[in-house]
PDB file of all heavy atoms in Angstrom:
ATOM      1  N   PHE L 400     -10.109   3.769 -36.550  1.00 94.00           N
ATOM      2  CA  PHE L 400     -11.121   3.726 -35.509  1.00 94.00           C
ATOM      3  C   PHE L 400     -12.430   4.351 -35.985  1.00 94.00           C
ATOM      4  O   PHE L 400     -12.421   5.379 -36.669  1.00 94.00           O
ATOM      5  CB  PHE L 400     -10.647   4.473 -34.259  1.00 94.00           C
ATOM      6  CG  PHE L 400      -9.369   3.939 -33.664  1.00 94.00           C
ATOM      7  CD1 PHE L 400      -8.252   4.758 -33.556  1.00 94.00           C
ATOM      8  CD2 PHE L 400      -9.288   2.637 -33.217  1.00 94.00           C
ATOM      9  CE1 PHE L 400      -7.076   4.277 -33.009  1.00 94.00           C
ATOM     10  CE2 PHE L 400      -8.110   2.149 -32.673  1.00 94.00           C
ATOM     11  CZ  PHE L 400      -6.997   2.967 -32.565  1.00 94.00           C
ATOM     12  N   LYS L 401     -13.514   3.746 -35.591  1.00 96.00           N
ATOM     13  CA  LYS L 401     -14.816   4.348 -35.834  1.00 96.00           C
ATOM     14  C   LYS L 401     -15.017   5.503 -34.855  1.00 96.00           C
ATOM     15  O   LYS L 401     -14.360   5.568 -33.819  1.00 96.00           O
ATOM     16  CB  LYS L 401     -15.921   3.308 -35.659  1.00 96.00           C
ATOM     17  CG  LYS L 401     -15.876   2.193 -36.711  1.00 96.00           C
ATOM     18  CD  LYS L 401     -17.018   1.215 -36.520  1.00 96.00           C
ATOM     19  CE  LYS L 401     -16.990   0.137 -37.604  1.00 96.00           C
ATOM     20  NZ  LYS L 401     -18.089  -0.847 -37.427  1.00 96.00           N
ATOM     21  N   THR L 402     -15.947   6.379 -35.183  1.00 96.00           N
ATOM     22  CA  THR L 402     -16.148   7.574 -34.360  1.00 96.00           C
ATOM     23  C   THR L 402     -16.493   7.226 -32.922  1.00 96.00           C
ATOM     24  O   THR L 402     -15.986   7.856 -31.985  1.00 96.00           O
ATOM     25  CB  THR L 402     -17.260   8.454 -34.965  1.00 96.00           C
ATOM     26  OG1 THR L 402     -16.897   8.828 -36.300  1.00 96.00           O
ATOM     27  CG2 THR L 402     -17.465   9.708 -34.137  1.00 96.00           C
ATOM     28  N   TRP L 403     -17.321   6.212 -32.707  1.00 97.00           N
ATOM     29  CA  TRP L 403     -17.736   5.883 -31.347  1.00 97.00           C
ATOM     30  C   TRP L 403     -16.543   5.394 -30.508  1.00 97.00           C
ATOM     31  O   TRP L 403     -16.486   5.635 -29.302  1.00 97.00           O
ATOM     32  CB  TRP L 403     -18.860   4.848 -31.342  1.00 97.00           C
ATOM     33  CG  TRP L 403     -18.472   3.449 -31.721  1.00 97.00           C
ATOM     34  CD1 TRP L 403     -18.516   2.877 -32.948  1.00 97.00           C
ATOM     35  CD2 TRP L 403     -17.985   2.426 -30.834  1.00 97.00           C
ATOM     36  NE1 TRP L 403     -18.077   1.575 -32.909  1.00 97.00           N
ATOM     37  CE2 TRP L 403     -17.766   1.269 -31.626  1.00 97.00           C
ATOM     38  CE3 TRP L 403     -17.725   2.374 -29.473  1.00 97.00           C
ATOM     39  CZ2 TRP L 403     -17.290   0.076 -31.078  1.00 97.00           C
ATOM     40  CZ3 TRP L 403     -17.248   1.180 -28.921  1.00 97.00           C
ATOM     41  CH2 TRP L 403     -17.031   0.057 -29.724  1.00 97.00           C
ATOM     42  N   ILE L 404     -15.588   4.732 -31.168  1.00 97.00           N
ATOM     43  CA  ILE L 404     -14.382   4.284 -30.464  1.00 97.00           C
ATOM     44  C   ILE L 404     -13.521   5.487 -30.089  1.00 97.00           C
ATOM     45  O   ILE L 404     -12.972   5.553 -28.979  1.00 97.00           O
ATOM     46  CB  ILE L 404     -13.577   3.293 -31.325  1.00 97.00           C
ATOM     47  CG1 ILE L 404     -14.385   2.020 -31.571  1.00 97.00           C
ATOM     48  CG2 ILE L 404     -12.243   2.960 -30.654  1.00 97.00           C
ATOM     49  CD1 ILE L 404     -13.682   0.996 -32.444  1.00 97.00           C
ATOM     50  N   LYS L 405     -13.411   6.454 -31.001  1.00 97.00           N
ATOM     51  CA  LYS L 405     -12.659   7.677 -30.721  1.00 97.00           C
ATOM     52  C   LYS L 405     -13.273   8.427 -29.546  1.00 97.00           C
ATOM     53  O   LYS L 405     -12.562   8.922 -28.669  1.00 97.00           O
ATOM     54  CB  LYS L 405     -12.622   8.567 -31.956  1.00 97.00           C
ATOM     55  CG  LYS L 405     -11.856   7.982 -33.136  1.00 97.00           C
ATOM     56  CD  LYS L 405     -11.892   8.909 -34.327  1.00 97.00           C
ATOM     57  CE  LYS L 405     -11.141   8.315 -35.508  1.00 97.00           C
ATOM     58  NZ  LYS L 405     -11.146   9.210 -36.690  1.00 97.00           N
ATOM     59  N   VAL L 406     -14.597   8.506 -29.524  1.00 97.00           N
ATOM     60  CA  VAL L 406     -15.297   9.184 -28.425  1.00 97.00           C
ATOM     61  C   VAL L 406     -15.052   8.449 -27.111  1.00 97.00           C
ATOM     62  O   VAL L 406     -14.795   9.065 -26.068  1.00 97.00           O
ATOM     63  CB  VAL L 406     -16.811   9.274 -28.715  1.00 97.00           C
ATOM     64  CG1 VAL L 406     -17.569   9.784 -27.486  1.00 97.00           C
ATOM     65  CG2 VAL L 406     -17.063  10.192 -29.911  1.00 97.00           C
ATOM     66  N   LEU L 407     -15.116   7.114 -27.159  1.00 98.00           N
ATOM     67  CA  LEU L 407     -14.898   6.303 -25.955  1.00 98.00           C
ATOM     68  C   LEU L 407     -13.490   6.500 -25.410  1.00 98.00           C
ATOM     69  O   LEU L 407     -13.302   6.674 -24.196  1.00 98.00           O
ATOM     70  CB  LEU L 407     -15.138   4.824 -26.269  1.00 98.00           C
ATOM     71  CG  LEU L 407     -14.931   3.840 -25.104  1.00 98.00           C
ATOM     72  CD1 LEU L 407     -15.895   4.162 -23.964  1.00 98.00           C
ATOM     73  CD2 LEU L 407     -15.115   2.404 -25.585  1.00 98.00           C
ATOM     74  N   ILE L 408     -12.484   6.475 -26.287  1.00 97.00           N
ATOM     75  CA  ILE L 408     -11.095   6.691 -25.859  1.00 97.00           C
ATOM     76  C   ILE L 408     -10.938   8.082 -25.256  1.00 97.00           C
ATOM     77  O   ILE L 408     -10.241   8.261 -24.245  1.00 97.00           O
ATOM     78  CB  ILE L 408     -10.131   6.510 -27.049  1.00 97.00           C
ATOM     79  CG1 ILE L 408     -10.118   5.050 -27.497  1.00 97.00           C
ATOM     80  CG2 ILE L 408      -8.712   6.951 -26.664  1.00 97.00           C
ATOM     81  CD1 ILE L 408      -9.330   4.798 -28.765  1.00 97.00           C
ATOM     82  N   THR L 409     -11.607   9.070 -25.844  1.00 98.00           N
ATOM     83  CA  THR L 409     -11.546  10.439 -25.331  1.00 98.00           C
ATOM     84  C   THR L 409     -12.148  10.531 -23.940  1.00 98.00           C
ATOM     85  O   THR L 409     -11.587  11.176 -23.039  1.00 98.00           O
ATOM     86  CB  THR L 409     -12.289  11.400 -26.282  1.00 98.00           C
ATOM     87  OG1 THR L 409     -11.713  11.312 -27.590  1.00 98.00           O
ATOM     88  CG2 THR L 409     -12.178  12.834 -25.788  1.00 98.00           C
ATOM     89  N   ILE L 410     -13.274   9.873 -23.733  1.00 97.00           N
ATOM     90  CA  ILE L 410     -13.923   9.881 -22.411  1.00 97.00           C
ATOM     91  C   ILE L 410     -13.034   9.208 -21.378  1.00 97.00           C
ATOM     92  O   ILE L 410     -12.852   9.713 -20.263  1.00 97.00           O
ATOM     93  CB  ILE L 410     -15.296   9.180 -22.481  1.00 97.00           C
ATOM     94  CG1 ILE L 410     -16.271  10.008 -23.321  1.00 97.00           C
ATOM     95  CG2 ILE L 410     -15.864   8.974 -21.072  1.00 97.00           C
ATOM     96  CD1 ILE L 410     -17.589   9.321 -23.591  1.00 97.00           C
ATOM     97  N   ILE L 411     -12.452   8.066 -21.744  1.00 97.00           N
ATOM     98  CA  ILE L 411     -11.559   7.346 -20.825  1.00 97.00           C
ATOM     99  C   ILE L 411     -10.357   8.210 -20.468  1.00 97.00           C
ATOM    100  O   ILE L 411      -9.952   8.308 -19.307  1.00 97.00           O
ATOM    101  CB  ILE L 411     -11.102   6.008 -21.454  1.00 97.00           C
ATOM    102  CG1 ILE L 411     -12.286   5.049 -21.570  1.00 97.00           C
ATOM    103  CG2 ILE L 411      -9.974   5.383 -20.620  1.00 97.00           C
ATOM    104  CD1 ILE L 411     -11.971   3.779 -22.345  1.00 97.00           C
ATOM    105  N   GLY L 412      -9.774   8.853 -21.475  1.00 97.00           N
ATOM    106  CA  GLY L 412      -8.624   9.724 -21.235  1.00 97.00           C
ATOM    107  C   GLY L 412      -8.966  10.888 -20.330  1.00 97.00           C
ATOM    108  O   GLY L 412      -8.173  11.264 -19.457  1.00 97.00           O
ATOM    109  N   CYS L 413     -10.159  11.453 -20.506  1.00 96.00           N
ATOM    110  CA  CYS L 413     -10.587  12.575 -19.655  1.00 96.00           C
ATOM    111  C   CYS L 413     -10.777  12.125 -18.207  1.00 96.00           C
ATOM    112  O   CYS L 413     -10.428  12.846 -17.267  1.00 96.00           O
ATOM    113  CB  CYS L 413     -11.886  13.177 -20.195  1.00 96.00           C
ATOM    114  SG  CYS L 413     -11.670  14.163 -21.691  1.00 96.00           S
ATOM    115  N   ILE L 414     -11.305  10.926 -18.037  1.00 95.00           N
ATOM    116  CA  ILE L 414     -11.483  10.384 -16.682  1.00 95.00           C
ATOM    117  C   ILE L 414     -10.128  10.169 -16.018  1.00 95.00           C
ATOM    118  O   ILE L 414      -9.925  10.494 -14.840  1.00 95.00           O
ATOM    119  CB  ILE L 414     -12.282   9.067 -16.723  1.00 95.00           C
ATOM    120  CG1 ILE L 414     -13.731   9.336 -17.153  1.00 95.00           C
ATOM    121  CG2 ILE L 414     -12.255   8.376 -15.352  1.00 95.00           C
ATOM    122  CD1 ILE L 414     -14.531   8.088 -17.414  1.00 95.00           C
ATOM    123  N   LEU L 415      -9.174   9.634 -16.771  1.00 95.00           N
ATOM    124  CA  LEU L 415      -7.847   9.335 -16.226  1.00 95.00           C
ATOM    125  C   LEU L 415      -7.043  10.593 -15.913  1.00 95.00           C
ATOM    126  O   LEU L 415      -6.113  10.547 -15.104  1.00 95.00           O
ATOM    127  CB  LEU L 415      -7.071   8.461 -17.213  1.00 95.00           C
ATOM    128  CG  LEU L 415      -7.577   7.027 -17.397  1.00 95.00           C
ATOM    129  CD1 LEU L 415      -6.813   6.322 -18.502  1.00 95.00           C
ATOM    130  CD2 LEU L 415      -7.480   6.244 -16.096  1.00 95.00           C
ATOM    131  N   THR L 416      -7.375  11.703 -16.551  1.00 95.00           N
ATOM    132  CA  THR L 416      -6.605  12.935 -16.339  1.00 95.00           C
ATOM    133  C   THR L 416      -7.342  13.980 -15.502  1.00 95.00           C
ATOM    134  O   THR L 416      -6.758  15.016 -15.186  1.00 95.00           O
ATOM    135  CB  THR L 416      -6.236  13.578 -17.692  1.00 95.00           C
ATOM    136  OG1 THR L 416      -7.439  13.859 -18.428  1.00 95.00           O
ATOM    137  CG2 THR L 416      -5.349  12.657 -18.514  1.00 95.00           C
TER     138      THR L 416
END
Side-chain angles (χ1 to χ4, degrees):
F400 301 120
K401 294 182 178 179
T402 301
W403 72 267
I404 296 178
K405 295 179 181 181
V406 171
L407 179 61
I408 293 173
T409 302
I410 292 173
I411 292 172
C413 286
I414 292 172
L415 291 174
T416 58

